[in-house]
């Protein structure tokens, strides 16, 4: 079909938002839809469909879990940077003349980027013909428990957005579990299923590996350190262990972990095929981010989840609780994390087969089909 989409995505700490958006954009490209993906986070080289046009805005990221916005030099973002990004985004919209605009997260998240998103939405509303405006959002949103904030989001969805594509499955996490007034926008909500990798990779782990993967922040480092200490104390010490630290862990912390690792423990920053590692592992130990949990489900791996819970973050805790309630994971809270509690959880997970979850994981293709159908209409 001859149609085009402009996709805006802004990630601040992890790259999961970008990965999910690229998978959906790739599925759209497979249908012949032209896709311009505008990324506002730090540049990162991820696989993408060759037909996707990627436009990089001057990057903005979060300094830490308090979500102070900083530029590429580590300084608080300036009005000049805001103006530069706003102008660049509007120029891309004017050039692309898309049939639909997809905004990842907003209005449930990314309120700090209204300086560019409000003008983009205004440009959409003033365009002739008017593109469809869609929200792309993960299964769980983090919204302050405030009736006024809820009313603001509901009002924005009803006035501006044709649909909210929820990339989850209500059998695991219904949207109202994290957004209580979901019923007020029920006519706009469309569950797409989870946006998992297009195809399962082959197992690349040795049989029986313990795979520990973590984000690059302080919470991720604490998990890695606890895992290493648990192994040093004898937890499943005859099994090979592999610790994946994340790309942004400080060099000093990475060097310290490698120096402390005993024989039989590999410490590396990144592995391109986490799903393949998990398919052959004995136990996966990780936080409870969207993409990581999907890899666990796809691989049917025994799992220990230590959900990230800094500040007001509740997303990973809720997802981990739902996984535990379904029998698909053992959970250790971030507050209770220690080498002893982690070792006990790993041994418990290793002793039992995980429950098999029947959830939709073809969310990229289903999202693309839904968007294409909207464009045809």
């Amino acid at each position: 079909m001859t149609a085009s989409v402009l996709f805006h995505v802004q990630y601040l700490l992890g790259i999961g938002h970008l990965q999910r958006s690229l998978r959906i954009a790739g599925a759209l490209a497979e249908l012949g839809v032209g896709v311009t993906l505008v990324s506002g986070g730090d540049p990162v080289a991820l696989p993408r469909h060759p037909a996707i046009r990627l436009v990089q805005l001057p990057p903005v990221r979060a300094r830490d879990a308090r979500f102070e916005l900083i530029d590429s030099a580590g300084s608080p973002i300036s009005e000049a940077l805001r103006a530069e990004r706003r102008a660049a985004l509007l120029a891309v919209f004017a050039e692309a003349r898309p049939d639909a605009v997809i905004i990842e997260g907003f209005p449930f998240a990314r309120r700090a980027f209204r300086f560019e998103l409000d003008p983009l939405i205004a440009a959409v509303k003033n365009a002739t013909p008017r593109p469809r405006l869609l929200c792309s959002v993960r299964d769980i949103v983090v919204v302050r428990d405030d009736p006024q904030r809820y009313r603001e989001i509901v009002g924005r969805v009803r006035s501006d957005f044709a649909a909210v594509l929820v990339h989850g499955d209500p059998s695991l996490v219904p949207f109202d579990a994290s957004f209580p007034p979901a019923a007020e926008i029920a006519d706009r909500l469309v569950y797409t299923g989870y946006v998992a990798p297009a195809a399962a990779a082959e197992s690349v782990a040795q049989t029986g590996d313990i795979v520990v993967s973590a984000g690059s922040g302080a919470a991720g480092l604490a998990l890695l350190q606890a895992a290493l200490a648990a192994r040093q104390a004898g937890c499943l010490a005859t099994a090979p262990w592999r610790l994946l630290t994340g790309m942004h862990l400080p060099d000093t912390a990475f060097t310290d972990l490698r120096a402390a690792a005993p024989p039989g423990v590999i410490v590396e920053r990144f592995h391109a095929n986490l799903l393949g590692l998990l398919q052959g592992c004995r136990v996966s130990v990780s936080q409870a981010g969207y993409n990581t949990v999907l890899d666990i489900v796809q691989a049917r791996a025994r799992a220990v989840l230590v959900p990230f819970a800094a500040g007001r973050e509740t997303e990973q805790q809720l997802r981990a609780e739902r996984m535990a309630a379904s029998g698909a994971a053992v959970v250790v809270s971030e507050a209770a994390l220690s080498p002893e509690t982690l070792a006990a959880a790993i041994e418990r997970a290793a002793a039992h087969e995980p429950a098999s979850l029947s959830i939709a994981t073809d969310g990229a293709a289903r999202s693309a089909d839904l968007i294409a159908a909207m464009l045809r209409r």
Side-chain angles (χ1 to χ4, degrees):
M1 62 183 298
T2 56
S4 65
V5 167
L6 178 70
F7 206 136
H8 177 284
V9 58
Q10 173 67 53
Y11 52 99
L12 295 173
L13 287 176
I15 61 173
H17 297 280
L18 179 61
Q19 288 178 312
R20 185 168 57 250
S21 299
L22 282 171
R23 287 171 185 164
I24 296 168
L28 282 166
E30 284 293 317
L31 296 180
V33 177
V35 183
T36 299
L37 190 142
V38 181
S39 175
D42 279 339
V44 58
L46 290 175
R48 69 176 190 268
H49 193 287
I52 297 172
R53 177 194 177 202
L54 180 63
V55 176
Q56 176 67 54
L57 296 178
V60 170
R61 61 184 173 89
R63 189 184 301 278
D64 51 35
R66 292 171 296 181
F67 289 96
E68 177 193 0
L69 300 183
I70 57 175
D71 60 22
S72 57
S75 302
I77 64 172
S78 63
E79 286 303 321
L81 179 61
R82 290 184 177 92
E84 183 181 0
R85 283 177 56 112
R86 181 167 54 243
L89 179 58
L90 292 176
V92 172
F93 172 74
E95 177 190 356
R97 298 177 59 84
D99 300 291
V101 172
I102 306 170
I103 302 179
E104 199 278 330
F106 190 80
F108 302 91
R110 303 294 181 259
R111 295 180 73 225
F113 291 85
R114 286 177 296 178
F115 65 86
E116 65 190 27
L117 295 177
D118 282 344
L120 174 62
I121 292 170
V124 169
K125 295 169 77 171
N126 291 329
T128 303
R130 178 175 171 175
R132 286 181 177 269
L133 182 62
L134 310 174
C135 170
S136 166
V137 69
R138 67 190 176 200
D139 57 341
I140 299 167
V141 294
V142 180
V143 178
R144 185 175 68 252
D145 187 12
D146 176 4
Q148 181 176 347
R149 177 79 178 110
Y150 291 152
R151 286 193 297 270
E152 177 188 331
I153 294 171
V154 168
R156 197 68 189 265
V157 169
R158 299 210 65 83
S159 66
D160 296 338
F161 288 84
V164 176
L165 305 179
V166 180
H167 304 305
D169 187 323
S171 67
L172 182 63
V173 188
F175 197 59
D176 60 8
S178 60
F179 189 68
E184 299 179 36
I185 53 172
D187 59 324
R188 308 293 168 91
L189 293 180
V190 182
Y191 288 97
T192 69
Y194 285 91
V195 180
E202 294 182 358
S203 170
V204 295
Q206 302 177 43
T207 301
D209 276 13
I210 311 301
V211 179
V212 184
S213 57
S216 301
L221 177 58
L223 173 57
L224 294 163
Q225 290 170 331
L228 190 56
R231 165 63 174 77
Q232 290 167 330
C235 177
L236 301 184
T238 59
W241 284 55
R242 185 187 297 266
L243 274 60
L244 305 178
T245 70
M247 298 300 292
H248 300 297
L249 188 76
D251 289 340
T252 53
F254 181 78
T255 301
D256 290 346
L257 286 170
R258 273 199 160 173
V265 178
I266 297 171
V267 179
E268 56 187 345
R269 286 198 174 275
F270 176 75
H271 197 287
N273 187 4
L274 178 60
L275 176 56
L277 286 177
L278 298 187
Q279 284 179 326
C281 77
R282 185 171 179 185
V283 178
S284 165
V285 182
S286 69
Q287 295 175 312
Y290 183 99
N291 288 312
T292 301
V293 166
L294 276 179
D295 283 336
I296 290 167
V297 171
Q298 295 267 85
R300 293 201 60 198
R302 300 175 182 89
V304 174
L305 299 176
V306 184
F308 176 67
R312 296 189 300 109
E313 288 298 307
T314 56
E315 171 225 344
Q316 292 197 13
Q317 184 66 37
L318 175 56
R319 189 178 295 112
E321 289 171 356
R322 295 290 174 134
M323 289 282 288
S326 300
V330 177
V331 175
V332 177
S333 72
E334 203 172 83
L337 177 65
S338 70
E340 295 75 22
T341 58
L342 189 60
I346 291 171
E347 290 170 358
R348 179 182 164 198
H352 301 283
E353 285 292 326
S356 179
L357 296 182
S358 297
I359 58 173
T361 56
D362 57 346
R366 290 171 67 175
S367 297
D369 288 341
L370 287 164
I371 293 165
M374 292 179 192
L375 296 180
R376 285 193 294 268
R377 291 196 299 270

